[in-house]
Amino acid sequence: MTLSPVDWIIIVVYLVGCLVAGLWMRRYVRGVQEFAVAGRHMDVNLGIASLAATELGLVTIMYAAQLGYEKGFAGATIGVVIWGAMWLVGRTGFVIVPMRNAGVMTIPELFEKRFGTRVRWLAGFFVAVGGLLNMGIFLRLGGEFLVHATGLPPGYLEWVMTALLGLVLLYTMLGGMLSVLVTDYLQFLVMGVGIVAVSVVVLWHTGWGNLVGGLDAAWQAGQLKAHPYNPLHASNFGWGYLLWQAAFQIACATTWQTQISRVLAARDAATAQRMYRRTSFYFVGRFLLPALWGAAAFVWFANQGGLPEGVTSLTAMPQYLSLILPIGLIGIVVAGMLAAEMSTDSGYMLTWGTVIYNDLVRPCLRRPLTAKAELLLTRLLVLAIALFLLVYGLWYELPGNAWDYLAVTGNIYLASVFTLLVAGLYWPRATPTGAAAALVLGAVGPILFLVIGKSHAIAPEVAGASSFGLAAAGMIVGSLLTRRPPTPAATTACA
Amino acid sequence: MNSLPLVVWSILIAASIGWYAFLVVHIGRKAGGEIRELIKTLSQRPPSDPPTS
C-alpha cells in the first residue's frame, strides 16, 4: 500500500497537533503533584477520554485481533468480563474510593500507612518490574502493525518506532500528566474515528453473511481450532480461564497503576466512580471490534488458501487491512492507530516513572529533595524507561500469544497488590510480614512462566491463578504467625 | 449456526460501533470544555503558590 499525499498531510497534522498541545501544557507544571496527578483537577469526561485512550493501545488492537483470528468473536469475551469488573468497581467504589480519599500518588504509597516503609518499597519494586515488562512489547507490536498495514519496509520499523517514542517522550517528560491528559483527549478522538471507520469498512467489505458463514465453515472443517462464538466450549477459553480472568480483571480495575493514576487524578471519589461506570462498556469494543477485524482477516485468508508467507495470526489483521482500506481513509486509520500507540506509551511511561520515583527512590532519600530536583529526577526516570522500552522491545521473544504475555506480566504484581489492598483496607489482622510474603509469593508463578515458559509448557491460567492463591496464602499465614506492630514501621526502606 | 451466542455477539458489535461513535461526539464536546476549565484553574493560581511535591 502507498500512502497518498492526503494521507501524509493527515498524519503530519495529527502528530504536530499532539506535540504542540503536549508542549503547551508544560507551562502549568510547578511540581510533582501536577506532573504525576494533574494537581487532582481532572473531571469525569476528560477522565473517560484519558482512561479509554491509555488502556486502548495499538498493542491492544493487535492482541485482540489475534484472539479474534484464533477464536472468532468468542475471543472478545475478555472485554465483556472487563465491562462487568469495571462497572462493579465503579458502582460499589470497592477499593478505589478509600484509595482516592487517602490522597496518595501511587498504590504503594498507601501501603506505607498500613504496613510501613519496607512494604511500600517492596510493593513499588514489584509494581515497577511487572509494569515495565508488561509494556516492553508495546513498541514491537505497534511497529508490526505499521509495517503490515502501510507496507513500510521492515528495516525502517526500529527507526519509525524510535522517532515516535521520541516525540511522545518529549511532551511526557516536560508536561507530565497535564500533557498526557490533553494529548489523550486528542488521541481519543482520532482513535475513535479510526476504529469506527475500520469496523464499518470491514463489515461492508466482508459482508455479515459471508463473515458468519466463513467462521461456521472453518469451524466445521476443523480449520478453526476454537468455537467461534461460545467461549465456554471446551475448545475455547473454558470455565477455568474465564474464572481466572474474572479475578484478574477485578484486580486490574482496582490495582492497575495506569488506571488508578486516573482515579488519583480525579477531582474526588465520586468523579472516579462515574468515570469507571461510564467507561466500562468501552472495554467491550476494545476487544470486540479488533476481534471482528481479526475474524474477518481469518475468513479472507482462509478463502485465499491460507496465510501468505511471513504472516502470522498476529500480523494477519494489519495485512488484511492493507488490502481493503481505500487510499484516503488509510491516513485517518494510521493516525488513529498512532494515537492509540502514543496515548498508551505516554500514560505508561509517566505512571511507571512516578512509581519508581515515589516508591523506590524517595523512601531511600536521607533528606527530601527540593521540588525542582524532584521534578528533574522524575523526568529523567521517564527518559530511562523510554530507553528500556527501545532495548527490551527489540530482543524479547514472546513465549505464547501476546495477550497471555501481557496478562501474566501484569499478574507479577496484580494478584499480590490486590491482596494487600483488600487485606489492608478490610482485614484488621493483616501484618507487614503477611504483606511481604504475599508480594513475593504472588510473583513466583508469573515469573516462572516468563523464564521457562518457552521450554516448559505452563498454562497461562495456571501461572496467573497460582499467583492469586499464593499471595492470599502468604498474607493469611504470614499475618497469623506474626503480630501487627502498634504503629507502622517508620524505618527507611534502604537503611 | 444461528446460536444464541452469535445473536449476543451481533448485538454487542452493533452496540460497540454505535457507542464509540457516540462517545467521539459526546466526550469530544464535554471533555473539550473540561480542558478549558482545567487550564483556567491552573492559570488562576497565584504566582506566589509554592511548588507542589
Side-chain angles (χ1 to χ4, degrees):
Chain A
M1 172 182 296
T2 310
L3 295 176
S4 69
V6 175
D7 296 322
W8 280 112
I9 290 169
I10 292 169
I11 294 167
V12 171
V13 165
Y14 159 71
L15 290 175
V16 171
C18 276
L19 186 63
V20 170
L23 292 178
W24 176 265
M25 296 306 288
R26 180 195 173 209
R27 67 188 59 203
Y28 302 110
V29 178
R30 289 191 189 174
V32 172
Q33 279 279 346
E34 284 90 358
F35 190 82
V37 288
R40 304 192 198 275
H41 292 306
M42 189 187 76
D43 228 323
V44 65
N45 293 297
L46 186 53
I48 290 171
S50 182
L51 184 60
T54 301
E55 296 306 324
L56 203 166
L58 195 37
V59 63
T60 323
I61 290 168
M62 288 292 279
Y63 70 64
Q66 186 182 32
L67 287 172
Y69 185 94
E70 293 175 349
K71 298 174 188 293
F73 299 153
T77 307
I78 296 156
V80 178
V81 175
I82 300 177
W83 174 23
M86 289 286 290
W87 188 87
L88 195 67
V89 172
R91 180 75 184 81
T92 60
F94 179 58
V95 176
I96 61 169
V97 166
M99 198 185 311
R100 173 61 189 86
N101 288 339
V104 294
M105 281 201 295
T106 59
I107 297 170
E109 191 181 344
L110 184 70
F111 295 153
E112 184 175 21
K113 298 183 178 185
R114 181 69 170 79
F115 298 117
T117 312
R118 289 176 197 277
V119 170
R120 173 186 181 175
W121 194 91
L122 193 61
F125 174 76
F126 281 114
V127 167
V129 168
L132 290 176
L133 288 177
N134 186 269
M135 75 178 297
I137 62 166
F138 286 10
L139 276 187
R140 170 187 285 216
L141 264 60
E144 294 276 1
F145 177 92
L146 290 177
V147 163
H148 285 85
T150 65
L152 187 78
Y156 289 1
L157 186 150
E158 285 84 0
W159 295 108
V160 170
M161 296 315 288
T162 303
L164 192 66
L165 187 67
L167 193 145
V168 174
L169 177 67
L170 191 62
Y171 68 72
T172 307
M173 255 181 83
L174 296 175
M177 181 60 101
L178 289 173
S179 291
V180 168
L181 284 179
V182 173
T183 52
D184 275 357
Y185 166 71
L186 295 175
Q187 288 151 4
F188 172 82
L189 299 181
V190 175
M191 192 173 75
V193 170
I195 289 173
V196 171
V198 171
S199 301
V200 171
V201 170
V202 163
L203 283 173
W204 173 79
H205 176 263
T206 312
W208 182 252
N210 286 337
L211 178 59
V212 172
L215 290 173
D216 287 345
W219 165 244
Q220 279 154 13
Q223 288 175 296
L224 198 57
K225 297 282 182 280
H227 194 288
Y229 314 123
N230 184 0
L232 300 176
H233 193 274
S235 62
N236 214 300
F237 290 118
W239 278 107
Y241 191 96
L242 290 178
L243 282 174
W244 165 54
Q245 277 299 314
F248 177 78
Q249 294 305 340
I250 287 183
C252 213
T254 50
T255 62
W256 190 239
Q257 184 69 46
T258 54
Q259 283 182 223
I260 292 302
S261 64
R262 270 70 188 169
V263 169
L264 300 174
R267 193 173 286 283
D268 50 38
T271 302
Q273 283 186 267
R274 276 203 302 277
M275 176 180 73
Y276 261 48
R277 285 198 305 273
R278 293 181 192 177
T279 316
S280 60
F281 189 70
Y282 195 86
F283 285 83
V284 175
R286 175 185 186 251
F287 273 79
L288 186 51
L289 297 180
L292 168 73
W293 312 347
F298 174 84
V299 171
W300 167 264
F301 287 117
N303 288 337
Q304 307 295 313
L307 285 173
E309 199 179 327
V311 179
T312 65
S313 62
L314 188 65
T315 54
M317 178 273 290
Q319 185 75 25
Y320 166 69
L321 292 188
S322 76
L323 300 171
I324 66 159
L325 289 178
I327 288 176
L329 182 62
I330 189 73
I332 295 172
V333 172
V334 170
M337 298 305 111
L338 289 177
E341 176 72 29
M342 292 165 73
S343 57
T344 306
D345 288 347
S346 61
Y348 275 56
M349 283 196 296
L350 177 68
T351 298
W352 308 128
T354 305
V355 168
I356 293 172
Y357 167 70
N358 198 47
D359 303 310
L360 294 182
V361 177
R362 204 173 173 192
C364 295
L365 297 173
R366 291 179 187 276
R367 274 178 296 183
L369 296 175
T370 62
K372 204 173 170 183
E374 278 187 317
L375 200 52
L376 177 65
L377 186 54
T378 313
R379 284 172 167 157
L380 289 175
L381 284 167
V382 172
L383 173 65
I385 289 170
L387 293 174
F388 162 81
L389 274 185
L390 278 180
V391 176
Y392 185 84
L394 292 180
W395 64 261
Y396 186 76
E397 284 185 35
L398 287 171
N401 73 30
W403 165 249
D404 287 339
Y405 171 86
L406 291 168
V408 171
T409 49
N411 232 146
I412 286 176
Y413 87 79
L414 272 175
S416 54
V417 167
F418 179 66
T419 306
L420 260 68
L421 272 173
V422 173
L425 291 170
Y426 302 108
W427 191 38
R429 185 69 183 79
T431 69
T433 307
L439 283 168
V440 174
L441 290 175
V444 170
I447 288 176
L448 275 178
F449 175 85
L450 293 174
V451 175
I452 62 170
K454 281 177 78 75
S455 53
H456 299 76
I458 302 176
E461 63 267 37
V462 172
S466 69
S467 62
F468 278 93
L470 287 170
M475 172 58 82
I476 293 167
V477 174
S479 297
L480 293 178
L481 290 178
T482 53
R483 283 187 182 177
R484 189 180 169 192
T487 52
T491 52
T492 302
C494 303
Chain B
M1 204 193 300
N2 286 320
S3 57
L4 180 64
L6 177 57
V7 174
V8 173
W9 289 121
S10 310
I11 293 168
L12 286 175
I13 287 171
S16 291
I17 294 173
W19 185 240
Y20 273 51
F22 167 75
L23 282 185
V24 166
V25 177
H26 179 74
I27 298 291
R29 198 168 56 83
K30 295 268 187 180
E34 289 176 11
I35 288 176
R36 281 193 292 277
E37 279 299 311
L38 175 71
I39 290 174
K40 202 171 148 189
T41 307
L42 294 169
S43 306
Q44 284 173 345
R45 288 174 307 175
S48 56
D49 263 10
T52 54
S53 64

